[in-house]
Amino acid sequence: MALYQQQELKIYNSISGEKEVFIPINEGNVGMYVCGPTVYSNVHLGNCRTFISFDLVFRYLKHLGYKVRFVRNITDAGHLENDADSGEDRIAKKARLEQIEPMEVVQKYTVDFHNILQKFNNLPPSIEPTATGHIVEQIEIIKEILEKGYAYEANGSVYFDVLKFNETHEYGRLSGRKLEDMIPNTRELTAQSDKKNPQDFALWKKAEPQHIMRWPSPWSDGFPGWHLECTVMSSKYLGEEFDIHGGGMDLKFPHHECEIAQGEAATGKNPVHYWMHANMLTLNGKKMAKSTGNNILPNEIFTGENPNLEKGFAPTVARFFMLQAHYRSILDFSNDALMASEKGFNRLMEAYHLLDELETSETSSFDVSAWKQKCYDAMNDDFNSPILIAQLFEAVKQINIIKEEQGKITATDLEEMKNTMSVFLYDVLGLVDTTNGADGSEGKKLSGTVELLIKLRAEARANKDFATSDKIRDELLELGIQLKDGKEGTTFSLN
C-alpha cells in the first residue's frame, strides 16, 4: 500500500476558502503547475519564499509516493509593466537600458534564478517551459477562444471579452470579486484604447514599431498576453484539467483569475481543482521595496553584505527560517529572526547526530510511533511546516533526555526515530547538513582553520601588511568563504 493511501492530505483551496481532502484526478499521479519568474532582474527574496513553499509541496507529494509532474514556467516575453496591458515589455525595457539583446537578458537572469534556487536546495521541476517556446500554441488557443465568441479582434490586437464570458460563467470567483462591483471602480478607457470594456484583457497585442519582441500572427506582428502563456503551458503538459496550481498571493488577481477564464472559455472545463497561494515576505515589518532601501537579495543573505544583516547565513538556514512559518502566513524577515533560526537549525542537527550515540534499552519512555504520526499529521494539514518543525524539536528534547539517562529507548524505536528525522529534515524540508560529518568534526576543522586565517589576517593588518591581509580575504572568497568585518570582530560565511 502506498504511503498516500495511509495518510489523508488536506489542502487549503483558495477558490473555496476551505481545507479539502486532496483527491487527484488520476490516482497515484499529481499534475502541479507553479507560476515561475519573469526573468528581467535578479530573483528577489519574496519570489524565493514562494518557490521554496512549493518545493516543500513537491517534496512531500513525492514522499507520499505520488508520481508528480511539476511544471514551472519561465516568462521571457509578454509581461508588460502594467497589468492593464500597457507599458513596455519588462524584458525588452531591460534590454534597451542595458543595450543588449532581450534574450541576453533572459539568459542572464534565468541562470541567476537557477543558481539561487540550487543554493536553497530546491528540486528542479519536471518541465520548465518558456513563453517564447510556445507562441504557436498561444496563437491556436486564441483562435479557439475567438471562435467560441469570448474574444474580439481590434486593430491587430485580440482581447478577452470579460462581460460576455460573465454571462455564462463567473469571472472573479477565485479572488472573491464580483464583476458588477469592479465596473464602478475601473478607470474610463482612453480614446487610444481598443478595448470594449476596461475589464477586458489582452490575448494578443499588436507590437508598436519600437517593440523589439514580436512574432507573426493572423492578426498582426505582435506578442501574446501575459496571462495566456500559463493557460497554454499548463494545459499542454498537464491536460485541460489538472490537480494543483500554485503561485504568490499577488497573482490571484488578475493573473490567475484570467487563467481560469481563458481555460473555461477554450475548453468548457474547470482547469484547476486546487488553487494554492503563498503569502508575502516583509523586511523589518515593512514591505520590501528597492526604492526605499528596505530590500535584500538572496546572495546578500549568504554573504552578509547588506545593512540589515550583522553577518552572512548559510542558504539552508535561510530556507529553515522560511519554513518555520506556514506558507499562507505573512513572514517578516530580520537579522534577529535569522540569528534565532540559525541557533534552532544547529540544535536540530546536533540532536540528529546524537542519535548514533544513544544507548538502547529493553523499553522506551517515548512513544516514537505516535510522534511519527504527529509529524505526518502536521504535513497532512495543508503542509504545516511550522508544526512539523515543532514536532522535530520535541524529538530533540527526548534525545537529550535519553542522552542524560533520564529516559530510555529500544533499538527498534531508535531506528524509527532516526529514519523519521532523516525523512523530514532532508527529504521533506529539504535542509542540508552544513556540519559536514556525523559528529560535526569536519565542520569544526573548517571553522578552526578559517578562524586561524582570520587571526593571521588581523595580525597582518595590525602590522600594516595590507597586501597579506587582502590576499587572505580574496583567496578565501575564491574558495567560497566570505569574511565580514564588524564591530565585534571578523565573521565568515560559506557561499
Side-chain angles (χ1 to χ4, degrees):
M1 183 184 282
L3 198 50
Y4 66 78
Q5 294 171 311
Q6 303 167 42
Q7 304 291 336
E8 185 180 77
L9 171 63
K10 288 186 177 180
I11 296 177
Y12 180 86
N13 194 346
S14 297
I15 207 157
S16 68
E18 295 178 357
K19 289 178 188 175
E20 300 175 9
V21 175
F22 178 62
I23 303 170
I25 295 166
N26 299 304
E27 191 193 340
N29 295 272
V30 178
M32 181 169 81
Y33 185 90
V34 173
C35 289
T38 301
V39 282
Y40 70 100
S41 64
N42 296 108
V43 63
H44 65 74
L45 205 55
N47 283 149
C48 291
R49 187 201 177 187
T50 296
F51 298 128
I52 288 168
S53 296
F54 287 104
D55 184 61
L56 175 75
V57 172
F58 183 34
R59 285 171 174 274
Y60 189 59
L61 291 170
K62 282 167 64 74
H63 171 66
L64 289 179
Y66 286 112
K67 183 179 180 182
V68 187
R69 177 176 287 175
F70 172 25
V71 181
R72 187 186 65 215
N73 71 299
I74 294 286
T75 295
D76 57 353
H79 194 170
L80 302 185
E81 293 175 288
N82 190 306
D83 284 338
D85 298 320
S86 62
E88 270 189 276
D89 181 292
R90 298 182 186 205
I91 290 162
K93 181 179 179 180
K94 189 80 169 183
R96 178 174 59 77
L97 293 172
E98 294 191 6
Q99 296 186 311
I100 57 175
E101 282 289 325
M103 285 301 128
E104 285 183 78
V105 173
V106 167
Q107 179 70 7
K108 176 181 177 180
Y109 294 112
T110 300
V111 169
D112 170 72
F113 172 65
H114 288 151
N115 286 343
I116 293 297
L117 289 198
Q118 192 172 34
K119 286 182 180 180
F120 278 122
N121 199 33
N122 274 30
L123 298 175
S126 316
I127 303 171
E128 193 172 49
T130 64
T132 56
H134 295 76
I135 300 293
V136 171
E137 292 90 340
Q138 291 178 79
I139 289 171
E140 289 306 308
I141 201 170
I142 293 171
K143 290 179 184 176
E144 287 180 44
I145 296 171
L146 276 166
E147 200 175 296
K148 291 181 179 177
Y150 292 114
Y152 57 90
E153 187 265 337
N155 295 324
S157 293
V158 181
Y159 296 96
F160 190 92
D161 193 334
V162 172
L163 268 62
K164 176 71 175 174
F165 175 78
N166 206 53
E167 289 173 7
T168 50
H169 299 76
E170 187 185 353
Y171 182 79
R173 62 194 178 98
L174 175 64
S175 57
R177 303 183 188 207
K178 298 288 182 188
L179 189 58
E180 53 269 28
D181 295 333
M182 293 183 217
I183 293 169
N185 297 318
T186 309
R187 278 183 273 174
E188 290 294 315
L189 291 172
T190 63
Q192 291 79 28
S193 178
D194 295 319
K195 293 183 184 181
K196 288 182 184 176
N197 306 290
Q199 297 79 20
D200 297 347
F201 56 90
L203 299 176
W204 186 266
K205 285 280 284 181
K206 181 181 179 180
E208 297 298 326
Q210 71 275 15
H211 200 96
I212 312 171
M213 304 179 80
R214 57 173 67 216
W215 292 266
S217 81
W219 314 286
S220 65
D221 276 7
F223 53 93
W226 172 43
H227 312 306
L228 192 67
E229 63 178 86
C230 288
T231 294
V232 163
M233 289 186 275
S234 61
S235 60
K236 177 170 182 175
Y237 298 110
L238 299 174
E240 293 175 348
E241 288 185 85
F242 58 94
D243 300 302
I244 298 170
H245 193 315
M249 199 76 79
D250 57 320
L251 297 180
K252 192 183 283 189
F253 186 90
H255 187 53
H256 291 161
E257 203 71 77
C258 294
E259 277 190 63
I260 293 172
Q262 291 165 164
E264 290 183 350
T267 68
K269 298 175 182 176
N270 173 28
V272 178
H273 288 205
Y274 301 84
W275 283 93
M276 296 179 68
H277 291 93
N279 217 323
M280 65 186 291
L281 193 64
T282 58
L283 179 60
N284 298 321
K286 298 174 186 174
K287 185 178 177 180
M288 287 195 187
K290 289 181 183 177
S291 57
T292 62
N294 196 55
N295 185 58
I296 188 166
L297 290 172
N299 268 327
E300 293 174 340
I301 300 169
F302 311 151
T303 64
E305 293 296 322
N306 185 284
N308 291 289
L309 298 175
E310 287 179 27
K311 69 182 196 75
F313 295 89
T316 196
V317 169
R319 180 185 177 97
F320 179 63
F321 160 74
M322 294 191 209
L323 294 174
Q324 282 181 290
H326 191 263
Y327 76 89
R328 285 190 289 114
S329 303
I330 292 174
L331 175 61
D332 189 51
F333 192 93
S334 69
N335 181 76
D336 289 348
L338 271 176
M339 294 288 279
S341 289
E342 187 174 58
K343 286 179 183 175
F345 173 82
N346 289 336
R347 276 184 62 213
L348 268 178
M349 292 302 165
E350 285 164 12
Y352 177 71
H353 295 151
L354 275 176
L355 284 166
D356 288 330
E357 299 176 21
L358 298 184
E359 297 289 336
T360 57
S361 304
E362 294 298 314
T363 58
S364 291
S365 55
F366 177 52
D367 191 336
V368 174
S369 293
W371 163 77
K372 178 180 177 180
Q373 187 54 48
K374 285 177 183 177
C375 292
Y376 278 102
D377 291 344
M379 288 301 292
N380 291 338
D381 183 16
D382 192 32
F383 309 96
N384 202 323
S385 56
I387 300 298
L388 168 63
I389 289 168
Q391 288 300 330
L392 293 174
F393 275 114
E394 176 58 31
V396 171
K397 177 183 166 186
Q398 295 300 326
I399 290 165
N400 287 322
I401 286 172
I402 296 163
K403 176 72 175 172
E404 291 162 11
E405 299 182 353
Q406 302 298 309
K408 297 179 180 180
I409 192 165
T410 65
T412 303
D413 281 349
L414 179 61
E415 190 64 23
E416 186 171 24
M417 182 185 267
K418 187 172 182 181
N419 289 340
T420 303
M421 284 194 78
S422 177
V423 160
F424 285 106
L425 284 172
Y426 306 126
D427 299 347
V428 175
L429 292 176
L431 301 177
V432 176
D433 187 355
T434 51
T435 56
N436 296 321
D439 61 355
S441 61
E442 294 301 318
K444 287 171 188 172
K445 288 175 186 175
L446 174 63
S447 292
T449 303
V450 177
E451 291 296 342
L452 174 61
L453 288 167
I454 288 172
K455 188 177 176 183
L456 291 172
R457 178 171 173 260
E459 288 174 4
R461 291 173 78 181
N463 294 329
K464 299 194 184 313
D465 182 3
F466 297 114
T468 301
S469 167
D470 291 346
K471 188 178 180 183
I472 292 170
R473 180 199 63 204
D474 295 342
E475 292 197 11
L476 282 173
L477 188 59
E478 281 182 26
L479 295 169
I481 300 168
Q482 170 90 26
L483 299 186
K484 187 174 182 184
D485 299 316
K487 293 176 185 175
E488 305 299 318
T490 302
T491 57
F492 76 92
S493 60
L494 304 179
N495 292 351

